[in-house]
């Protein structure tokens, strides 16, 4: 229950086997609509197993902590995901739909989303929205509608896979909007 005030943020905390806090990460509620993935950095690799709890905050204060997670052992994720495949860009006069297939190799971490940028030759602009984020990779194609484009203009769209290890290489596609 939010006490009549919307949730404004979450804080995840990690604890060692003795119950001592060993890490903390706060995130704003606007970053997540349905599911949050929070990375608590700087955890000692040899300290495991660790447990984690989450609290929510709003104008009325901070909630009680969640129940502790099952024991977790921190691991370093280092292998970046591959590039998405088969990018296609279908255009109208002021919008475009970019479609792609998730990469076959996702590195050593699950896919948490895609970074989509669009450029008309100037600086690229990040495309945001919940439909760019996904929970799990699949062989099914992904797509994103991009609005606010200018007619008869060439646009380059890049799509890169994001995991806890970072952002992988991008796939690029270019097309011109209809006049």
């Amino acid at each position: 229950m939010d006490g009549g005030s919307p949730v404004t943020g979450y804080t995840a905390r990690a604890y060692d086997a003795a119950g001592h806090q060993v890490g903390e990460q706060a995130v704003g509620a606007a970053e997540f609509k349905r599911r949050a993935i929070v990375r608590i950095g700087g955890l000692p690799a040899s300290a495991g197993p660790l447990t984690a709890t989450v609290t929510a905050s709003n104008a009325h204060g901070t909630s009680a902590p969640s129940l502790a997670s099952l024991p977790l052992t921190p691991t370093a994720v280092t292998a970046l995901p591959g590039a998405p495949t088969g990018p296609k860009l279908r255009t109208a006069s002021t919008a475009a739909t970019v479609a792609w297939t998730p990469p076959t190799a996702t590195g050593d971490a699950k896919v948490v989303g895609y970074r989509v940028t669009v450029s008309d030759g100037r600086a690229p602009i990040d495309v945001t929205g919940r439909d760019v984020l996904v929970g799990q990779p699949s062989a099914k194609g992904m797509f994103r509608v991009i609005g606010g484009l200018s007619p008869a203009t060439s646009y380059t769209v890049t799509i890169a896979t994001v995991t806890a290890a970072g952002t992988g290489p991008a796939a690029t596609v270019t097309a011109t909007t209809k006049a």
Side-chain angles (χ1 to χ4, degrees):
M1 182 155 180
D2 63 14
S5 177
V7 173
T8 56
Y10 298 95
T11 302
R13 292 182 176 88
Y15 299 90
D16 64 16
H20 300 105
Q21 184 177 324
V22 294
E24 177 177 294
Q25 180 65 48
V27 295
E31 297 176 48
F32 305 100
K33 295 294 182 195
R34 294 179 188 236
R35 178 176 27 171
I37 297 174
V38 178
R39 182 177 183 186
I40 303 173
L43 297 175
S46 61
L50 304 174
T51 58
T53 63
V54 178
T55 57
S57 303
N58 68 10
H60 298 289
T62 301
S63 72
S66 66
L67 294 175
S69 70
L70 292 174
L72 308 164
T73 302
T75 59
V77 289
T78 57
L80 290 174
T85 60
K88 292 177 179 55
L89 189 59
R90 295 194 175 116
T91 63
S93 61
T94 60
T97 300
V98 61
W100 68 93
T101 302
T104 54
T106 59
D108 53 6
K110 293 181 179 180
V111 173
V112 295
Y114 293 92
R115 181 169 187 244
V116 178
T117 60
V118 62
S119 175
D120 61 0
R122 298 175 282 186
I125 300 167
D126 280 329
V127 176
T128 59
R130 72 177 172 85
D131 55 339
V132 175
L133 300 176
V134 296
Q136 297 295 317
S138 72
K140 297 179 181 175
M142 306 295 299
F143 74 93
R144 173 69 160 101
V145 176
I146 303 166
L149 304 178
S150 299
T153 304
S154 178
Y155 286 95
T156 299
V157 176
T158 62
I159 310 105
T161 307
V162 179
T163 68
T167 303
T172 302
V173 63
T174 299
T176 301
T177 52
K178 297 181 184 342

